[in-house]
Amino acid sequence: MLLEVRDLKTYFYVNGQELRAVDGVSFALDKGRTLGIVGESGCGKSVACMSILKLIDPQAGRIAGGQVLFEGKDLVPLPEKEMTGIRGNQISMIFQEPMTSLNPVFTVGYQLREAIAIHQQAGRAAAARRSAELLELTRIPDAARVLKNYPHQLSGGMRQRVMIAMSLACSPKLLIADEPTTALDVTIQAQVLELLRDVKSELGMAVLLITHDLGVIAEMADDILVMYAGRMVEYAPVLELFKAPRHPYTAGLMRSKPNILHEQEKLSAIPGNVPSLYEMPAGCPFHPRCEQAMEICAERFPDVSKLGDSQGVACWLHAREGGAQ
Ligand code: SF4
């Protein structure tokens, strides 16, 4: 297994209060597969991925428990010097807004060459050659011109392609993509997703895709993990989950989006709001919004029940159906 996250807990500390942004998340991802992590804003999906790369600001929070096994090696206790060798080389990350990662005062070519030179200790000529190859791989037309451009001279879609090119500079084994198409127009979104799919299969990488968009998940992912209020509430192969969501929250998400597999009479929103980390309800954090909540739901969070080899759900409705993990 390329990546195995076990019972990951990442907590932040604000005014003496412990905020459990990620609270016991586990998943596994193998070479060549795409896992989509889905959930509303603030559910902890981005924090979980930042934790994998150990990018949590130590002034604000810390990994409070669990393991992040990358090719069998736990990254959590690894010293920063070793993590620097893993970030960008073996695990790369792209973000929603490429302008936050690209430096506005340097040309695209300079930034690409720098990334290659730092991570691969390549000389000037080799880095320049590799930059051109990467732009070709990410199907950027007129690469010679783009290399001379500054980020602000490119469209949003082109900037995201440059970021993808940069993230591939060292042929990573794992690419973490955090809402990579959210800031783009729909047609450009489709092109960037297609590009991600193609480079993934060309390079045999694994992709961890974070999104709130179930349409993107349906297009891209093999497996899906649903998070709510820092907890994992359901995981399954994508088709299984789209056909028969087990957790009431997942079912609510499906009803609030156009369904790709079934005809649907009308869309319906999940009542209420995602709870704040400051005021997390006891028990199952979804219980104030859940139409099927029972007494026990307000008292205890259910363990994840396995519903087969690759499917599980954390909900009292299914607690007796599968063996708790
Ligand atoms: Fe609803 Fe209870 Fe299941 Fe939570 S555990 S989703 S409140 S039924």
Side-chain angles (χ1 to χ4, degrees):
M1 193 57 67
L2 182 71
L3 175 73
E4 217 179 326
V5 172
R6 291 188 189 156
D7 201 23
L8 180 67
K9 295 176 179 167
T10 304
Y11 299 166
F12 291 99
Y13 301 90
V14 180
N15 297 331
Q17 198 178 343
E18 182 180 78
L19 307 176
R20 301 185 168 202
V22 175
D23 200 7
V25 168
S26 303
F27 58 85
L29 174 59
D30 216 347
K31 234 174 111 191
R33 305 280 294 176
T34 298
L35 172 71
I37 302 188
V38 74
E40 291 164 277
S41 295
C43 72
K45 53 191 193 300
S46 293
V47 176
C49 291
M50 302 288 271
S51 305
I52 292 171
L53 281 171
K54 299 212 337 187
L55 290 173
I56 302 298
D57 178 358
Q59 306 291 329
R62 66 182 172 92
I63 297 177
Q67 290 181 305
V68 175
L69 301 169
F70 183 69
E71 296 188 311
K73 186 176 191 173
D74 189 6
L75 304 185
V76 174
L78 229 54
E80 181 54 26
K81 200 169 161 214
E82 272 188 69
M83 267 319 287
T84 312
I86 288 176
R87 282 187 216 113
N89 280 331
Q90 303 196 49
I91 308 177
S92 273
M93 188 157 183
I94 53 171
F95 299 92
Q96 176 176 338
E97 183 35 81
M99 276 310 265
T100 55
S101 312
L102 289 170
N103 192 325
V105 301
F106 294 113
T107 63
V108 164
Y110 177 84
Q111 296 185 58
L112 266 170
R113 288 193 302 274
E114 278 292 285
I116 295 162
I118 289 170
H119 291 292
Q120 294 196 328
Q121 277 108 41
R124 268 176 77 98
R129 260 197 317 276
R130 181 81 179 127
S131 305
E133 276 168 22
L134 286 168
L135 292 198
E136 206 172 295
L137 182 68
T138 45
R139 294 192 222 113
I140 292 180
D142 200 358
R145 178 185 59 80
V146 172
L147 285 169
K148 289 185 195 135
N149 281 160
Y150 289 88
H152 75 270
Q153 293 175 293
L154 303 174
S155 66
M158 204 57 87
R159 283 199 291 261
Q160 196 55 290
R161 278 171 195 267
V162 168
M163 274 315 300
I164 294 172
M166 209 173 273
S167 72
L168 301 179
C170 306
S171 311
K173 294 174 181 164
L174 170 64
L175 177 69
I176 301 177
D178 189 356
E179 303 274 7
T181 56
T182 303
L184 304 175
D185 291 342
V186 179
T187 48
I188 307 298
Q189 261 187 30
Q191 291 172 11
V192 170
L193 291 178
E194 194 188 334
L195 171 67
L196 273 176
R197 236 190 342 251
D198 290 352
V199 290
K200 183 197 99 167
S201 58
E202 262 171 63
L203 303 177
M205 295 181 304
V207 177
L208 190 56
L209 177 67
I210 308 164
T211 181
H212 66 280
D213 188 334
L214 287 169
V216 170
I217 292 281
E219 280 264 316
M220 298 288 293
D222 303 299
D223 302 290
I224 179 168
L225 174 85
V226 183
M227 284 186 68
Y228 185 80
R231 302 273 196 163
M232 57 187 267
V233 296
E234 185 163 13
Y235 65 88
V238 160
L239 279 180
E240 294 302 318
L241 192 121
F242 273 77
K243 257 193 280 177
R246 303 299 191 99
H247 195 280
Y249 175 63
T250 318
L253 279 183
M254 297 286 171
R255 283 195 302 271
S256 64
K257 299 278 175 211
N259 194 315
I260 59 162
L261 294 177
H262 304 293
E263 284 189 13
Q264 195 174 24
E265 283 178 5
K266 62 174 184 149
L267 302 178
S268 61
I270 303 172
N273 294 307
V274 180
S276 148
L277 286 179
Y278 291 91
E279 291 167 344
M280 198 54 72
C284 169
F286 189 57
H287 84 260
R289 304 172 77 187
C290 180
E291 288 170 357
Q292 298 174 73
M294 302 165 279
E295 212 171 302
I296 192 169
C297 301
E299 292 162 8
R300 282 171 48 206
F301 185 80
D303 289 330
V304 174
S305 299
K306 277 192 103 174
L307 305 175
D309 285 346
S310 52
Q311 198 167 1
V313 61
C315 172
W316 286 114
L317 293 172
H318 301 278
R320 281 190 201 94
E321 215 176 302
Q325 280 182 336

